[in-house]
Amino acid sequence: MKVKGIRWWMVGLVTAGLMVNYLARNTLSVAAPTLMSEMNISTEQYSHIVVAWQVCYALMQPVAGYIIDAIGTKMGFAIFAFAWSIACALAALATGWQGLAFVRGLLGLTEAAGLPAAVKTSTEWFPAKERSVAIGWFNIGSSIGAVLAPPLVVWAILHSGWELAFLIVGGLGVAWTFLWMILYKHPRDQKRLSDEERDYILSGQEDHFKDPSNKKGSWKKIIGSRNFYAIASARMLSEPAWQTFNAWIPLYLMTERHMNIKEIAMFAWLPFLAADLGCVLGGYLSPFFHKYCNVSLFTSRKMVLLFGASCMIGPACIGLVASPYTAIALLCIGGFAHQTLSGALYAITSDSFGKNEVATATGMGGMFGYLGAAAFTLVFGVMVTKIGYSPLFVVLAIFDIVAAFIVWTVARELKPRATTGPEAGQTLQPAR
């Protein structure tokens, strides 16, 4: 039996995987106040734990992307998902900050495949005009995971202990892995995909993505691309904001806004709910700008990126407000802003590389992003005790605005290098 609109079911499956992926990484930040107290972990030591995850995640992203391009989305995503589930559960055995840093490093190594696999899935299953919408929907998985973390972890702490939260999330990851292996298939193997929908998907994909060859992506070729320079620079500048939100919001609410653990469970998830709205709205803004502003799809992606970066002015003003609830509202604007621009960056990546390069390119861009986040976290862990949170939020807003400017001025829409002759349709280069 054929299933109408099955491509949306596939993106829903990916969204569920990213929910578990981000739930695993956000479990630590919500449990941080409790486990820091129980293990006598300082703020600086906590920043080292966060950096262990970020550095491992960063270094593994290009490797994970290359593996997924090499062995395929289905098997690659499943292997990494099962591994990150085990790594998450192992955190329950940690007895000190060094042990916790080690298992979080393992989590970073294994979680690195999540977004490269998700972007590759969207390029396989969606035409170009719908791809930003698909990316917006699967990107909400990251925010939903962060939304679910506060109530789940606080419930575990109140009923058993923080260790239970890591075990529950690890179990959810294993369950999703089996679900993925049963349900996911590439469009060429999906018997429930109608001929009409298959033709719709293929007819709307760019020529560079239709390349029938099985040649794997080249890191050297990707690095030499003008668009990759723009994407990598933007990821390095913009990722610190999202990682700061993920790792530090509960501590910020407790230490700066004097909330207790129950209040954190009530409010810490709100910026990530706003981030969900940013994911979805950002995905629909691209075709909206394309249609009503009479610009190309590629330019519409850059317009969304600029819009999201401009909204980061909200959290930059957090030091100007006295009310903790206003502060949360500004953090919500920040969550919305970042996920709007993040989805645009992933769409630009999917537009810029072929089917056997897109996961590798996403992973390599992610490596630069998370190395930037790790460097900022090291500075954050030291500076937050000296100058407070407010100036650092201003820096994050400046980073995002500069990132949008770089992409706007450097990234170029791909054009065929030749229309006739032996090279026609084979290689695409940024238009000059």
Side-chain angles (χ1 to χ4, degrees):
M1 183 181 70
K2 306 298 182 182
V3 177
K4 185 178 181 180
I6 195 172
R7 65 191 185 280
W8 296 106
W9 289 98
M10 293 299 104
V11 83
L13 187 59
V14 171
T15 301
L18 290 183
M19 285 171 54
V20 179
N21 183 292
Y22 273 76
L23 183 57
R25 69 183 69 177
N26 280 276
T27 297
L28 174 67
S29 64
V30 182
T34 300
L35 63 84
M36 287 172 69
S37 176
E38 292 184 8
M39 296 185 187
N40 295 316
I41 296 174
S42 68
T43 301
E44 186 172 350
Q45 289 170 340
Y46 175 70
S47 72
H48 295 333
I49 296 169
V50 175
V51 167
W53 179 90
Q54 290 174 341
V55 170
C56 290
Y57 188 96
L59 296 178
M60 191 62 183
Q61 276 229 307
V63 179
Y66 187 82
I67 291 172
I68 289 169
D69 276 333
I71 69 175
T73 311
K74 180 174 183 173
M75 187 56 65
F77 205 175
I79 291 171
F80 280 98
F82 184 80
W84 88 52
S85 302
I86 301 302
C88 178
L90 287 175
L93 303 178
T95 57
W97 80 265
Q98 296 95 333
L100 193 55
F102 176 76
V103 295
R104 294 300 287 187
L106 291 179
L107 183 69
L109 290 174
T110 50
E111 281 194 323
L115 287 170
V119 173
K120 187 174 178 68
T121 301
S122 71
T123 53
E124 289 174 345
W125 272 95
F126 286 85
K129 67 180 182 180
E130 286 185 347
R131 200 170 296 147
S132 68
V133 178
I135 289 173
W137 280 108
F138 80 60
N139 211 18
I140 70 171
S142 61
S143 304
I144 293 176
V147 167
L148 295 176
L152 171 62
V153 176
V154 171
W155 176 86
I157 290 172
L158 294 177
H159 287 79
S160 177
W162 58 266
E163 298 89 347
L164 178 62
F166 290 97
L167 294 174
I168 291 173
V169 176
L172 290 174
V174 172
W176 179 86
T177 302
F178 284 104
L179 191 65
W180 172 261
M181 287 299 295
I182 293 171
L183 297 179
Y184 184 79
K185 290 181 175 63
H186 189 280
R188 66 172 176 267
D189 302 320
Q190 181 55 262
K191 296 180 179 178
R192 297 185 182 277
L193 176 63
S194 67
D195 293 337
E196 181 182 3
E197 186 172 2
R198 182 180 286 106
D199 291 342
Y200 172 74
I201 294 170
L202 294 177
S203 65
Q205 291 181 337
E206 306 93 323
D207 290 337
H208 65 283
F209 195 76
K210 294 178 185 177
D211 180 9
S213 71
N214 290 318
K215 185 179 180 180
K216 300 298 180 286
S218 165
W219 291 3
K220 183 177 180 180
K221 178 183 175 183
I222 292 170
I223 291 175
S225 163
R226 173 182 182 137
N227 281 10
F228 179 74
Y229 280 112
I231 292 165
S233 300
R235 290 295 305 275
M236 182 175 286
L237 288 166
S238 64
E239 197 61 45
W242 187 237
Q243 296 312 309
T244 298
F245 282 20
N246 277 278
W248 295 92
I249 280 182
L251 278 177
Y252 169 76
L253 294 178
M254 177 171 284
T255 59
E256 292 290 309
R257 299 296 174 171
H258 309 296
M259 290 185 172
N260 59 41
I261 191 170
K262 291 184 178 180
E263 289 174 320
I264 289 174
M266 291 174 61
F267 295 107
W269 57 274
L270 289 174
F272 303 103
L273 177 63
D276 287 338
L277 299 177
C279 290
V280 177
L281 178 62
Y284 284 100
L285 276 178
S286 179
F288 177 85
F289 289 151
H290 172 57
K291 180 177 180 180
Y292 292 104
C293 297
N294 196 29
V295 297
S296 69
L297 270 175
F298 195 79
T299 299
S300 75
R301 319 286 203 215
K302 296 199 285 187
M303 292 173 68
V304 175
L305 182 65
L306 186 61
F307 169 75
S310 300
C311 292
M312 278 298 292
I313 295 172
C317 299
I318 201 166
L320 303 177
V321 302
S323 168
Y325 306 108
T326 306
I328 291 170
L330 292 175
L331 290 173
C332 288
I333 294 174
F336 171 87
H338 180 82
Q339 288 301 77
T340 299
L341 69 87
S342 175
L345 266 179
Y346 286 126
I348 289 170
T349 305
S350 71
D351 290 344
S352 300
F353 298 96
K355 68 176 181 180
N356 293 324
E357 300 172 329
V358 65
T360 305
T362 302
M364 292 178 69
M367 178 185 71
F368 282 91
Y370 280 87
L371 286 176
F376 187 80
T377 299
L378 286 173
V379 174
F380 197 99
V382 175
M383 296 302 294
V384 72
T385 59
K386 299 181 182 299
I387 64 174
Y389 286 84
S390 300
L392 297 172
F393 281 118
V394 174
V395 172
L396 292 174
I398 293 171
F399 281 177
D400 277 3
I401 292 170
V402 173
F405 175 78
I406 290 173
V407 173
W408 187 270
T409 56
V410 176
R412 294 289 183 270
E413 187 169 2
L414 297 185
K415 301 293 183 181
R417 190 174 69 179
T419 56
T420 60
E423 292 182 326
Q426 293 181 1
T427 307
L428 294 161
Q429 297 293 337
R432 301 296 181 186

